[in-house]
Amino acid sequence: MKREWEGESIVILDFGSQYTQLIARRIRAESVFSVILPHSAGIEEIMAENPKGLVLSGGPADLTEENALRLEVDIYSLGVPVLGICYGMQLISQMKGAELERADHREYGHTKIEADTDSALFRGTPVEQKVWMSHGVRLKSIPAGFRAIASSVGCPIAAMSNDEERIYGLQFHPEVFHTENGIEILQNFLFEICCCDKVWSSKSFVELEVLRIRERVGDARVLCAVSGGVDSSVMAALVDRAIGKQLVPVFVDNGLLRENEAEEVREILAGCLTTDLVFVDAADEFLSRLNGITDPEEKRKIIGTAFIDIFERESEKHGPFAFLAQGTLYPDVIESRSTFGPSDTIKSHHNVGGLPDEMSFELIEPLSLLFKDEVREVGKFLDLPAVQIERHPFPGPGLAVRVPGAIVREDLDLLRRVDRIFIDGLRREGLYDDVWQAFAVLLPVRSVGVMGDERTYQKAAVLRAVTSTDGMTADWARLPYDFLQDIANEIINKVDGVNRVVYDISSKPPSTIEWE
Ligand code: XMP
C-alpha cells in the first residue's frame, strides 16, 4: 500500500549529493512538504507523491563519463517545473543536447555571480551575489530553448532557464548557508514557479498522522519501547494522541542511566501520555549479566540481549499486540531506502537490537517522514517539555560504554555524580544547547593527588563535549577554559573518589564520540 499524503509535495531526485537532505529540509522550512526519492524512481513512484515541482539534486559523479548516473524516466512528461542543482543542471543540459566540459580549474567555495534579476528564479535578489559552488564540470554550450540567467568568472552559465517549459538550472547550491540568497531563490522556485501552498506544518502533520494511525490500528493494541530520548518520546506522544490506552509504552530501567534519569523520564512521560507507562526496574538483571565483562562489543551484545528478553517478557505479560511502534526517522529511511506502507512485518528492530523470530508485529513508524528538527517541532506541538525535546543523544547501552572495563555499581554512581555536575554546569552557563552531546567518562585508572595535607590515589574522569550535525562526524567543543576549570574544581571537591579531570580533545574520525 502506498502512503497517501493528502497534500502536495516537491520531489527531489537524489543523485547522491551530500546536500540532498538539506534541500528537503530547506523546502520544508518554507512549509512545503518535500520527499527524497532515488534518482532511479519510476514515474508512478514520483506521481504518487503528488509533485508540484521536481528538483534534481547534485551528485559526485562526472557526467562526462559514460557510466555516470542518469535519469531513467521522462520527467518532463509530469508537466511540473524542474530545477536542476549542480549535477542536476548538468544532467538536464546533457539530456537537452548541450555539451559539457571539465572546467580549467575546479570551482569550490565562495564565488560571485551576476544574476539576471528579471528572471523568475532571481526575482527580488541583488544582481551581484555570493554563492557556493562545488563542481569540476561545466556547460560548454547552452541547450536549445534555454538562456543563461547568471554567470561567474569561471562559469559563464552559472544558472539557466527555459521559461516556456519551466525548466531551471543552478550550477551552485542554493540550499547551503553560504549562498547568500539561496533561500530567496528556493522560495522563488516554490512559490513563483511551482505555485506551492504553505500547507506543511507540525499541526497538519499531527492531524493527518493521528487519523492514519487510528485507521490502521482500529481497535488493536500497540506496543512500544520508550528510552527517554527525543524520538521515542515524540513517537509515543503522537501514537498516544491517536489511540490513547490501546498503546502500551514500556520503559526499561537498565541501571545504566544518568542520575535520576529513570524517574525524570517517568514523570515527563506520565505528564504527556494518557496511557500508563509500563516501568520495568531491571537494573539488577542488567548489572548481574554484565558482571566482569570488559570487552565493549560483548557489553553491547549482553545489553541488547537482556533488553530483548525483558521486552519479550513484558510483551507477553501485557499482550497480545498486533503492532509495534518505533521512532525511526527520515534519514534512516533514506539511507536504507525502505518503502512506505504497513506491509513491512519486522523480525528485527534496529533500536532494540533484533527481536526474536517468534515476535512479529506490523510496524508503525509515524516519524519516518521527519528530520530530527521536525521531530522536535512535533514534540513541541504535542506539549512535550522543552527539556525533553532538547536533550542530547544518549547511547542505548548507556553508562556501560562510559565506564571502560568491568562495570561495578560504585563506579556507575561515581560517574553519575561527575556527569551531573558537568551537565548542570553546561545548562547553568547556557552552553548545553551549543553542543551536540556532552558527558563524562570514568577511567579505570588511578592517579596520585594531594588534597589538604593528604595524598590521594583515586580515579580520573574525562569530560567530553562535541559539536556535530548528525553524529557521523564530530569535533571537540571549544568550551571556555574558565568553565572547564570551574567544573573540574567542583568535581574534584565534591566527588570523593575522583581526583583528576581531563578534557577529551579528539575529533571523530579518527576517534568516536563514545569511548567504547
Ligand atoms: P560514536 O561513539 O559511534 O557515537 O561516535 C555516535 C552517536 O551514536 C550514539 N551511540 C549509540 N546510540 N546505541 C545508540 O542508540 C548505541 O549502541 C550507540 N553507540 C553510540 C553516541 O552517543 C553518539 O551520539
Side-chain angles (χ1 to χ4, degrees):
M1 190 179 103
K2 273 273 164 200
R3 183 177 57 86
E4 286 165 16
W5 184 256
E6 288 178 354
E8 55 198 32
S9 73
I10 294 290
V11 170
I12 301 161
L13 293 181
D14 183 13
F15 288 90
S17 163
Q18 57 178 323
Y19 301 129
T20 302
Q21 291 190 22
L22 198 53
I23 305 173
R25 283 164 55 192
R26 292 273 185 266
I27 293 174
R28 290 186 187 189
E30 297 303 319
S31 306
V32 174
F33 185 58
S34 65
V35 287
I36 298 174
L37 295 179
H39 72 278
S40 55
I43 284 289
E44 274 186 15
E45 200 179 343
I46 300 173
M47 278 177 43
E49 302 297 340
N50 203 6
K52 291 275 277 190
L54 218 55
V55 175
L56 310 187
S57 83
D62 180 343
L63 273 165
T64 61
E65 286 175 9
E66 195 61 35
N67 55 0
L69 302 180
R70 292 192 168 78
L71 278 169
E72 291 174 21
V73 293
D74 176 15
I75 50 168
Y76 307 112
S77 68
L78 292 161
V80 297
V82 177
L83 172 65
I85 295 176
C86 196
Y87 187 92
M89 159 161 152
Q90 294 163 9
L91 181 62
I92 291 172
S93 310
Q94 197 179 53
M95 283 160 46
K96 295 276 181 191
E99 260 188 87
L100 302 176
E101 62 181 358
R102 290 219 168 85
D104 306 334
H105 59 277
R106 296 153 78 88
E107 237 185 331
Y108 285 105
H110 284 296
T111 307
K112 217 181 265 171
I113 59 160
E114 265 192 29
D116 172 359
T117 54
D118 288 332
S119 68
L121 263 190
F122 290 107
R123 203 161 290 152
T125 67
V127 173
E128 270 208 355
Q129 39 187 292
K130 267 197 211 150
V131 301
W132 187 258
M133 290 275 193
S134 164
H135 68 103
V137 170
R138 65 182 182 188
L139 269 60
K140 193 168 168 187
S141 60
I142 196 156
F146 284 76
R147 68 187 180 99
I149 51 172
S151 60
S152 72
V153 173
C155 184
I157 310 164
M160 63 178 198
S161 75
N162 177 335
D163 295 309
E164 204 169 308
E165 291 187 45
R166 299 190 299 167
I167 306 172
Y168 301 83
L170 296 170
Q171 184 54 73
F172 58 88
H173 289 272
E175 68 277 19
V176 306
F177 168 75
H178 309 281
T179 295
E180 274 175 354
N181 298 95
I183 302 279
E184 286 89 339
I185 295 167
L186 284 176
Q187 284 171 341
N188 282 338
F189 181 66
L190 297 177
F191 303 115
E192 301 294 322
I193 296 169
C194 299
C195 302
C196 292
D197 292 318
K198 288 185 171 243
V199 290
W200 168 251
S201 66
S202 297
K203 182 170 177 287
S204 63
F205 170 79
V206 169
E207 282 169 0
L208 190 61
E209 260 330 288
V210 160
L211 292 179
R212 290 184 58 219
I213 294 168
R214 275 188 199 146
E215 196 180 324
R216 257 191 80 194
V217 170
D219 52 13
R221 297 176 73 236
V222 179
L223 177 69
C224 76
V226 282
S227 65
V230 180
D231 305 344
S232 67
S233 305
V234 174
M235 176 274 292
L238 179 57
V239 180
D240 180 82
R241 181 165 287 207
I243 57 167
K245 288 197 180 296
Q246 285 164 254
L247 174 70
V248 177
V250 177
F251 178 85
V252 178
D253 178 0
N254 57 12
L256 301 165
L257 302 173
R258 287 164 290 197
E259 197 173 84
N260 293 337
E261 191 167 26
E263 273 314 308
E264 280 168 18
V265 169
R266 190 180 196 170
E267 263 172 45
I268 288 173
L269 290 178
C272 48
L273 299 180
T274 60
T275 189
D276 298 326
L277 187 67
V278 175
F279 186 90
V280 188
D281 179 357
D284 290 344
E285 182 166 350
F286 276 88
L287 293 187
S288 78
R289 290 204 200 188
L290 284 167
N291 191 22
I293 306 296
T294 55
D295 178 69
E297 276 315 297
E298 213 181 326
K299 280 185 190 176
R300 275 169 194 273
K301 272 194 207 124
I302 289 173
I303 293 166
T305 312
F307 183 89
I308 290 161
D309 292 348
I310 293 162
F311 196 64
E312 199 178 8
R313 231 157 43 208
E314 294 303 315
S315 140
E316 272 165 24
K317 210 189 289 175
H318 301 276
F321 296 100
F323 295 90
L324 178 76
Q326 60 177 26
T328 314
L329 303 196
Y330 198 40
D332 302 329
V333 176
I334 299 167
E335 270 139 41
S336 64
R337 291 286 173 227
S338 72
T339 48
F340 297 106
S343 56
D344 294 345
T345 298
I346 57 147
K347 295 265 160 73
S348 69
H349 180 333
H350 67 268
N351 283 330
V352 179
L355 292 176
D357 285 355
E358 58 276 15
M359 279 181 93
S360 69
F361 305 100
E362 273 196 46
L363 210 54
I364 297 183
E365 295 176 302
L367 309 181
S368 63
L369 287 173
L370 302 187
F371 293 107
K372 191 90 177 181
D373 43 354
E374 294 175 312
V375 171
R376 294 202 164 102
E377 286 303 313
V378 167
K380 277 186 212 158
F381 181 77
L382 292 169
D383 292 330
L384 283 166
V387 16
Q388 181 67 4
I389 291 169
E390 304 302 339
R391 257 167 196 270
H392 290 168
F394 186 67
L399 300 184
V401 292
R402 295 177 181 175
V403 177
I407 298 162
V408 291
R409 213 179 276 261
E410 294 69 36
D411 282 349
L412 290 172
D413 288 340
L414 267 189
L415 177 58
R416 286 191 180 101
R417 295 178 59 203
V418 174
D419 192 79
R420 169 59 57 134
I421 292 172
F422 185 31
I423 300 298
D424 283 354
L426 287 167
R427 287 197 193 276
R428 197 170 52 238
E429 297 302 318
L431 295 165
Y432 185 86
D433 293 334
D434 294 346
V435 300
W436 159 268
Q437 199 170 3
F439 55 89
V441 174
L442 188 74
L443 295 185
V445 169
R446 290 204 284 173
S447 74
V448 174
V450 55
M451 282 189 101
D453 292 332
E454 263 181 56
R455 177 185 183 275
T456 57
Y457 186 50
Q458 297 180 333
K459 290 214 160 142
V462 178
L463 303 183
R464 177 100 165 118
V466 296
T467 54
S468 175
T469 48
D470 52 10
M472 305 293 282
T473 60
D475 197 7
W476 59 281
R478 272 54 171 180
L479 294 178
Y481 283 174
D482 290 347
F483 169 76
L484 289 171
Q485 174 178 301
D486 291 347
I487 294 297
N489 279 344
E490 194 178 340
I491 291 169
I492 294 169
N493 286 333
K494 289 191 178 161
V495 184
D496 188 14
V498 172
N499 68 351
R500 192 173 294 272
V501 172
V502 300
Y503 189 57
D504 184 347
I505 57 164
S506 331
S507 59
K508 173 184 179 177
S511 302
T512 52
I513 295 176
E514 303 289 346
W515 271 53
E516 284 196 335

